Amino acid sequence: MKIDLNEILYAIAAGLDSVEHELLGIRKGHCKRIAALSMYLGKSLGLSADDLTDLAAFSILHDNALTEVNQEELEYKKYNNGEGYTPHDFDVRRCIIGERNTKYMPFRTNNRDVILLHHENADGSGPMGRTYDRTPIKSQILHLANLLDNEFDLISTNRDTHGAMIYYVKSNAGTLFSREIVDTFTKCFKPKCLAYLAPSAIDNYLRKATKHHNDEYSPQEVANLATLIARIVDYKSHYTCQHSIGVARNCAAMAQYYAFDEEKRTKYYLAGALHDIGKLMIDNSILQKPDKLNDYEYELMKQHAYYTFDILQHVKNMDDIKIWAAHHHEKMNGTGYPFGIKGEDLSLEEKLMTCCDIYQALTEERAYKKGFPHEKAIEIMRDMVIKGEIDNSIVMAMDMEFRNGSDRLKDAPTTTILT
């Protein structure tokens, strides 16, 4: 399957930023600004085109483990009298899990330990105790870019911002940053560079700063990408920690049932993993509410399907995946959302995605309920058929495919990073 990895990552950056804003108070646009700052510095340090492409990807994914570690900490608090991780331990866990999650991603160059060590200080005072000479150059670049964006408001800069940034970097030479990094940054980062960090300019800059590769990826490589994104989404709430992967596996099994060709099966698996990516834009107070949502909260929750559409529409050559993923709450009688599309205008793939999502939600265990057995799930879905909401032939097919507890993983790509 051909994909432009960085284009996908640039698209999901809005969701990742929303998570960092909610959990850490980081300003929106953080990931792309780190990518842009990293490009300035990486080019001046002589990184190759492929290294720069990967550096941009790591900039977007630098905090990919945040949702997972946040849930981990919430669980930790239950058994420690409400005491959470120390800031040091929180950073360590983010780095370790983030490194694990990106280990099998289809990058173009050797990127070992880039995420693991991207919080290290030059003098060894960081969470892993590594000095600059034992820290990958990409990690050092990300570290500087991350700290600068945290320290300064780069959304609305003024004439003093550049001077303050240069002073900050120079003042921390030998402690936070190596002298090589400091010297290079102060030479390459001119006042005009601030204009490229503006929300209206940054997308254009990033697309020009790195080469675009519409590469062919194997089903396994796409599965690893899908799994990483699904983990980020699912760990947003402790109620849905395996939902997206479950939907993706349902999609893979049913794609096999309907004899989709290999590329379409791979694309359908990816669409299943991406279907709830819009939930990154939904506040945790709604996602993790243990009680029934009120009408207002439910309307806010429903917006996640549109956010999925909006995020994926910025990725070129993925229109089919966008439609399959974003329409997973559409109903044949037109009562679904976000667009209220009726059955005659819904493809088999769209109707199937809705059923894969419903089946997974019914059968999976969550904090507030046990999963229904297959027979009960199909009974509920048949009631939905009677109401005109979902397709009877698909429900019959799913009953046949899953009734004996068939191993729905048998036709899904093996997701290496799921541990």
Side-chain angles (χ1 to χ4, degrees):
M1 175 182 171
K2 285 189 174 182
I3 59 174
D4 188 327
L5 177 61
N6 279 36
E7 280 295 308
I8 294 175
L9 296 180
Y10 289 154
I12 70 173
L16 299 175
D17 282 341
S18 182
V19 172
E20 289 201 273
H21 177 71
E22 180 180 0
L23 297 181
L24 302 178
I26 303 297
R27 299 176 187 90
K28 297 286 184 72
H30 178 62
C31 291
K32 288 183 179 179
R33 287 193 299 274
I34 288 182
L37 288 166
S38 295
M39 291 301 99
Y40 296 135
L41 186 51
K43 284 184 177 181
S44 296
L45 287 166
L47 268 60
S48 70
D50 283 348
D51 278 313
L52 289 171
T53 298
D54 285 353
L55 179 59
F58 274 111
S59 299
I60 303 300
L61 293 172
H62 73 283
D63 233 349
N64 72 83
L66 181 56
T67 56
E68 194 166 347
V69 175
N70 183 61
Q71 291 302 327
E72 185 181 273
E73 183 181 33
L74 291 174
E75 191 68 19
Y76 178 86
K77 287 180 178 180
K78 291 181 183 178
Y79 303 100
N80 290 275
N81 300 316
E83 291 291 327
Y85 288 153
T86 66
H88 172 271
D89 289 343
F90 193 84
D91 282 345
V92 167
R93 294 300 295 160
R94 284 157 67 191
C95 291
I96 290 174
I97 295 176
E99 176 71 20
R100 179 205 66 190
N101 287 352
T102 56
K103 184 175 181 181
Y104 297 101
M105 289 287 287
F107 295 123
R108 309 182 70 81
T109 59
N110 178 16
N111 293 292
R112 180 180 175 182
D113 293 345
V114 170
I115 295 293
L116 180 67
L117 301 175
H118 82 282
H119 280 303
E120 295 308 287
N121 296 327
D123 62 1
S125 61
M128 303 295 180
R130 295 285 192 96
T131 52
Y132 73 93
D133 53 318
R134 298 173 58 227
T135 302
I137 192 66
K138 288 176 190 168
S139 300
Q140 296 185 53
I141 293 170
L142 288 176
H143 181 49
L144 181 141
N146 186 42
L147 288 181
L148 282 175
D149 195 61
N150 288 336
E151 187 73 18
F152 298 95
D153 181 0
L154 300 180
I155 299 175
S156 53
T157 59
N158 57 49
R159 61 187 299 175
D160 297 323
T161 303
H162 178 265
M165 291 172 70
I166 296 299
Y167 178 78
Y168 172 79
V169 171
K170 286 183 174 181
S171 297
N172 288 288
T175 53
L176 297 181
F177 317 119
S178 73
R179 298 192 182 279
E180 178 191 11
I181 290 284
V182 169
D183 289 344
T184 304
F185 181 79
T186 54
K187 290 177 182 176
C188 77
F189 193 75
K190 306 299 183 185
K192 66 179 182 180
C193 297
L194 289 172
Y196 299 125
L197 300 176
S200 60
I202 197 164
D203 285 339
N204 188 50
Y205 172 78
L206 287 175
R207 286 186 170 89
K208 289 182 177 179
T210 56
K211 287 187 176 181
H212 290 272
H213 305 275
N214 200 33
D215 291 334
E216 186 73 36
Y217 291 100
S218 70
Q220 177 62 68
E221 290 172 324
V222 176
N224 289 339
L225 170 63
T227 303
L228 171 58
I229 297 173
R231 288 180 80 95
I232 295 169
V233 174
D234 287 349
Y235 278 99
K236 184 74 159 59
S237 166
H238 63 270
Y239 293 150
T240 58
C241 287
Q242 291 292 321
H243 178 71
S244 296
I245 286 298
V247 171
R249 290 170 175 168
N250 291 341
C251 287
M254 295 309 297
Q256 182 75 16
Y257 176 89
Y258 283 107
F260 294 174
D261 62 42
E262 182 180 54
E263 178 164 330
K264 188 172 181 180
R265 290 198 304 271
T266 302
K267 291 169 73 174
Y268 206 61
Y269 181 88
L270 179 58
L274 290 170
H275 81 286
D276 265 350
I277 194 168
K279 283 187 177 177
L280 294 177
M281 312 295 286
I282 304 298
D283 194 274
N284 266 8
S285 63
I286 293 175
L287 289 178
Q288 302 205 128
K289 184 177 180 179
D291 305 315
K292 183 178 179 180
L293 300 178
N294 61 39
D295 290 345
Y296 174 71
E297 291 167 336
Y298 182 60
E299 289 302 315
L300 291 178
M301 172 66 88
K302 286 166 61 177
Q303 292 178 9
H304 81 271
Y306 178 77
Y307 288 137
T308 292
F309 178 88
D310 188 53
I311 288 169
L312 297 181
Q313 73 174 335
H314 298 292
V315 185
K316 294 179 180 178
N317 303 317
M318 278 183 53
D319 284 349
D320 46 3
I321 292 175
K322 172 190 68 179
I323 295 300
W324 300 340
H327 291 177
H328 67 279
H329 281 296
E330 299 293 347
K331 302 289 175 57
M332 292 181 63
N333 60 7
T335 61
Y337 59 89
F339 301 114
I341 304 171
K342 292 189 175 181
E344 59 267 25
D345 296 318
L346 293 169
S347 65
L348 168 66
E349 294 82 3
E350 291 164 84
K351 292 183 285 188
L352 178 58
M353 183 66 71
T354 297
C355 290
C356 287
D357 180 50
I358 292 169
Y359 185 85
Q360 181 62 27
L362 290 172
T363 57
E364 69 189 8
E365 183 172 345
R366 296 187 180 180
Y368 54 85
K369 77 170 186 71
K370 291 185 177 180
F372 290 123
H374 168 79
E375 293 77 12
K376 179 63 176 177
I378 293 297
E379 179 186 333
I380 293 171
M381 293 177 74
R382 283 177 177 151
D383 287 341
M384 297 178 72
V385 169
I386 294 172
K387 294 175 183 176
E389 295 177 342
I390 57 178
D391 187 288
N392 184 54
S393 65
I394 293 175
V395 175
M396 292 174 63
M398 294 183 75
D399 184 23
M400 190 183 317
E401 181 69 5
F402 299 151
R403 74 170 58 154
N404 295 320
S406 78
D407 184 358
R408 287 176 283 143
L409 298 180
K410 69 180 187 297
D411 297 313
T414 304
T415 52
T416 310
I417 64 174
L418 266 180
T419 58

